[in-house]
Amino acid sequence: MKQSRIKHGFAFLMLLAVFCSCKNENTQGETTNTQTKATTSASQKGQAFIADDGSTPNVLQIALGSPDHTTLVAAVQAASLENVLVNAGPLMVFAPTNEAFAALPEGTVEDLLKPKNKDALANILKHHVTAGNYSKKFLKKFTKLGQANDQDTTVEVIGDDVFVGGAKIIASIKAGNGIVHVVDKVIVPPSN
Amino acid sequence: MRTYKHPILSMFGALLILTSCGDNNSNSASSGALNSSAAEKVYVAPGEQDEFYAFLSGGYSGNLMVYGLPSGRMFKEIPVFSQFPTNGYGYSEETIPMLNTSHGFIPWDDAHHPDISQTNGELDGRWIFINGNNTPRIARISLTTFETEEIIEVPNSAGNHSSSFVTENTEYVVAGTRFSVPIPQRDMAIDEYKGNFKGSLSFISVDPEHGHMDIKFQILMPGFNYDLSHPGRGKSHGWFFFTTYNTEEASTLQEVNSSQNDKDFIAAVNWKKIEEYVNNGGGTMMPANYAHNVYDEATHTGTTKMKKEVLTVDPLKVPGAVFFLPTPKSPHGCDVDPSGAYIIGNGKLSADLTVHSFDNMIAAIENKKFDGEAYGIPILKFEDVLAGTVKSGGLGPLHTEFDGKGNAYTTFFISSEVVKWKLGTWEVIDRKPTFYSVGHLMIPGGNSRKPFGKYVVALNKITKDRYLPTGPEMEHSAQIYDITGEKMELLYDFPTHGEPHYAAGIPASILAPNSKKIYRLDENKHPYAVLSPDEARVERKGNEVHIYMSTIRSHFTPDNIEGVKIGDKVFFHITNHEQDFDVPHGFSIIGQNTSELLVMPGQTKTSVWEPKKVGVWPFYCTDFCSALHQEMQGYVRVSPANSNIEISYSLDGE
């Protein structure tokens, strides 16, 4: 089941990559001075857009291939985080399902996807990423994890279940550059 | 194959790729290189020369590569820690001693951080130093001959990583241990690491005239991992700063256990204070065993001397010499700005950079504002020493260099970018992607008071699609950026050799005029040299046969040798009589268990051959030296072990 999703994901990724890189080349030609433009073009080229059907899918490709994570994928794209997720890492991504995003207060996701909220969105998404590669079982050794947005999150074990920042791991998929743990909640970064 | 399972989608995808590629090409041609003049900026016309030398460490090749900037052309591979068949380094009798260690002959190492010698905080272009990580060693390479002149082993060290950075006047080249170990080494349980292992920071003095290295003292620190280091300069000259991680002192599964503390430390070491303590008789001389290998340019020969003791210093015995600066998230790079005012710690699991202030540090020390201690070493308060935080927006900061115009440039491994920011205001000015996963970066003069802020070179760990594919194994990739403007401009990609960790750059105008052209034959003091062809001869000493041979275009003298027997050890001592720039001669003989030799004009090198088969065996020149190169050959007649044939040889046909 997951296998076939992943394969669909590949085809989708290829299309996406092509579209994105086209768009990028166009914008880059025009890009000169402003920092926002430079950042945009920076995030739309690079490793994420290399066609490679031989390697084990990376965490981005897994997310792209999952019909349960279309909201997450849209968010990653809106925050221009594709290249971060294909890095050598290793990366451990806690991937909230569409349902998890839907459970947020109404309008939250739409709001976050607005360009003006790009930084806030990136902060939330990076809070779902750890530099590491640990199985669910191994995660039971931890009480906390340092996330990519520079904040810590909690690890709790209740029975057989592992909760990260209050979100339960409901599936785990090994990736070429780490691991994706599917979680049932959006992990909200603690406010400082 | 996946493509067969979704033929329609894939075809559609392929079609799109084709059309979009066309677009990409036309776009980049029309709006990329030409509009920005990037091509012009890296183009060094045939016959022209580059503006800078760049010395890129070869990483797991064990050697040092010489490149030109901005062209990215490679000029030379200098063998340092690895045998190099191209010229016989580590194979010739003269250079084998260079690779001796207390573990025996070690023909390889992992070369990381080249650093050029300095006077008054500026590059002086006399020598370049580089560390061997694996079997801890520091090498000194001459920047007139571009050859390795000296290698000193570092005892009580393991994973010699926070090395080999020089102080402002090359008083010291510093080598810190990455792995803490039992000191002295002994048989003990690994899980008793905590509190029992130690980390050594070695200060190796450099003789100002000859460059000869000597371990002046080793500071025995708590058993953390000492990752990288840089010297203070200007106002902070006299101090040295080392990043640490694994202050947890975990001995297993470090990827989890060494990241438990929110903050590790930058260790600030007042080496002038320790030097004074040592000069006044302080420290404990400890038994040790380490190799010191020196190559003498006059004899063209390296010799090994085993040293038997090293002076160690307990930092607690020198109050006021060592302090810990708390620094977040397992800091990796430890960089000091050209003024010496700021110490930058790059928390590799972080998004932000921590900048400490040297002045704040001194004030906190003077006011004795400590926040506890670790193994008796005072810890300063994070807030007291902090100058600022760079909110980068990137991920995985590793290393920072400076342009000398108030800007700093930091690499981010995870987000694959170089971020330019301003010292003092900590604001991000620009960011540019690298391809991919950048480690170190280099601005010529980057570790000095006077950087030459024209280019930055990003040294990437991952290549993927940047060049034509060469199977699973590819060379690493570098990018050169123009940093003369407000925004960085990516100019060019070039492949590098091995895994370049760090690099050092210097204006060509400082080095090129001093580059040696030939070795003078009349200064050759090699004991087996023949200074004139009529001294050429063959001598038997028991089962050793010594051939004193000279070469000149286009013959060997002697060329034919008889009387060699099975069981003999034959030494070809070859002196190149050319005194003409760039006319080496080579040597090889059939069935030799070693590499060829490449002998430079005026030089003597020795190759050993132990013939196994009776017969008449040819040798020849391996370097295409002249129009009559193919005639440059000779024969050795090898007779059975019990043969009575006396040594004889022909000289110029006589």
Side-chain angles (χ1 to χ4, degrees), chain A residues 3 6-8 10-12 14-15 18-19 21-22 25-26 28-29 32-35 38-39 42 45-47 50-51 53-55 57 83-84 86-91 126 131-134 138 141-144 146-152, chain B residues 1-3 5-6 9-10 12-14 16-17 20-21 23-24 27-28 31 35 253 255-256 259-262 329 348-352 391 393-395 413-417 428-433 435-437 462-466 487 490:
Chain A
Q3 280 295 321
I6 287 164
K7 281 167 187 163
H8 281 292
F10 257 102
F12 177 61
M14 274 181 71
L15 291 175
V18 168
F19 281 126
S21 58
C22 282
E25 287 304 325
N26 292 335
Q28 213 208 1
T32 45
N33 284 325
T34 73
Q35 198 194 324
T39 310
K45 62 191 280 193
Q47 289 182 87
I50 299 172
D53 64 359
S55 302
N83 278 319
V84 172
V86 297
N87 187 273
L91 297 174
K126 286 178 190 174
N133 179 4
Y134 311 122
F138 198 83
K141 292 178 191 285
F142 292 78
T143 56
K144 64 171 186 178
Q147 302 301 77
N149 74 329
D150 251 359
Q151 288 180 305
D152 288 340
Chain B
M1 290 274 292
R2 290 183 177 92
T3 43
K5 295 199 176 169
H6 305 282
L9 264 181
S10 301
F12 188 40
L16 273 172
I17 288 171
S20 66
C21 277
D23 276 341
N24 286 354
N27 254 323
S28 58
S31 62
N35 277 1
L253 197 66
E255 65 170 318
V256 179
S259 305
Q260 295 302 298
N261 292 349
D262 275 342
K329 303 279 180 186
K348 63 180 179 277
L349 300 179
S350 165
D352 298 340
K391 294 280 178 194
L395 270 181
F413 178 82
I414 296 181
S415 52
S416 285
E417 56 186 338
V428 171
I429 297 167
D430 188 25
R431 60 195 326 133
K432 285 284 184 293
F435 307 91
Y436 306 97
S437 297
I462 289 173
T463 303
K464 294 206 173 180
D465 64 340
R466 296 308 284 184
K487 302 289 176 186
L490 174 59

Side-chain angles (χ1 to χ4, degrees), chain B residues 180-362:
Chain B
S180 283
V181 287
I183 297 179
Q185 273 291 4
R186 58 192 179 275
D187 180 15
M188 65 175 282
I190 296 166
D191 64 8
E192 289 168 19
Y193 176 122
K194 192 165 187 165
N196 290 314
F197 283 26
K198 295 258 185 240
S200 66
L201 307 177
S202 306
F203 284 70
I204 301 167
S205 62
V206 180
D207 177 274
E209 199 180 336
H210 301 105
H212 288 165
M213 299 186 285
D214 185 30
I215 300 177
K216 174 101 170 175
F217 56 87
Q218 286 191 319
I219 309 170
L220 299 187
M221 296 285 285
F224 310 153
N225 290 37
Y226 296 85
D227 204 5
L228 274 160
S229 66
H230 263 106
R233 55 180 61 97
K235 62 163 86 173
S236 55
H237 177 57
W239 290 78
F240 221 97
F241 304 94
F242 299 82
T243 42
T244 70
Y245 64 103
N246 192 26
T247 53
E248 297 85 352
E249 294 180 77
S251 61
T252 182
L253 197 66
Q254 287 215 356
E255 65 170 318
V256 179
N257 296 323
S258 71
S259 305
Q260 295 302 298
N261 292 349
D262 275 342
K263 292 187 180 71
D264 293 283
F265 301 122
I266 287 178
V269 175
N270 185 335
W271 58 260
K272 282 222 163 148
K273 199 160 229 175
I274 296 179
E275 181 184 59
E276 192 188 333
Y277 166 77
V278 165
N279 286 344
N280 289 323
T284 307
M285 199 57 90
M286 190 178 133
N289 186 30
Y290 56 102
H292 185 204
N293 310 323
V294 180
Y295 186 84
D296 179 1
E297 198 180 307
T299 61
H300 301 286
T301 300
T303 48
T304 298
K305 190 177 163 194
M306 296 307 294
K307 300 197 130 188
K308 297 295 179 187
E309 54 184 18
V310 66
L311 185 63
T312 60
V313 173
D314 173 355
L316 299 188
K317 299 223 169 117
V318 195
V322 183
F323 299 90
F324 285 138
L325 284 52
T327 306
K329 303 279 180 186
S330 300
H332 184 61
C334 182
D335 299 290
V336 178
D337 82 299
S339 74
Y342 299 117
I343 304 115
I344 292 121
N346 297 314
K348 63 180 179 277
L349 300 179
S350 165
D352 298 340
L353 310 182
T354 301
V355 185
H356 294 305
S357 152
F358 178 73
D359 290 341
N360 291 357
M361 181 189 92
I362 294 297

